[in-house]
Amino acid sequence: MSYGWKLTLFWTLGFPVILTTLRVLTDALIGGEIVWMDYSAVFLGLAAAGLLFAAPLRILIEKAKEE
C-alpha cells in the first residue's frame, strides 16, 4: 500500500476514531450524558473532513518536502 493511501486511511478512519473515543471517555469521566447520535455526527463530520481536506493536504505537503 502506498504512502498516500496510508495517509488517507488514517485521516479518514484513524483520526476520527481517536477523537470520538476521547470525547466518549471524557463525557464518561465527567459524568455527562452519553448520546450516541451526537458522537456519530462528530465521527462522520471528521471522516468527511479528513477525506476532503486533511488527507489531500498532507499528501501535497509530503510531496513538496520530497522536491
Side-chain angles (χ1 to χ4, degrees):
M1 184 180 292
S2 71
Y3 187 69
W5 282 107
K6 289 178 185 177
L7 274 175
T8 303
L9 280 176
F10 172 74
W11 285 107
T12 304
L13 295 175
F15 187 69
V17 166
I18 293 168
L19 268 154
T20 305
T21 304
L22 288 174
R23 285 194 55 174
V24 170
L25 290 174
T26 302
D27 284 347
L29 291 174
I30 292 174
E33 184 180 349
I34 296 177
V35 180
W36 293 106
M37 289 299 289
D38 294 341
Y39 301 116
S40 65
V42 168
F43 175 79
L44 291 174
L46 287 170
L51 182 63
L52 297 175
F53 298 112
L57 185 62
R58 287 292 301 169
I59 291 170
L60 287 174
I61 290 171
E62 292 298 322
K63 285 184 181 179
K65 284 183 181 178
E66 289 175 2
E67 295 176 358

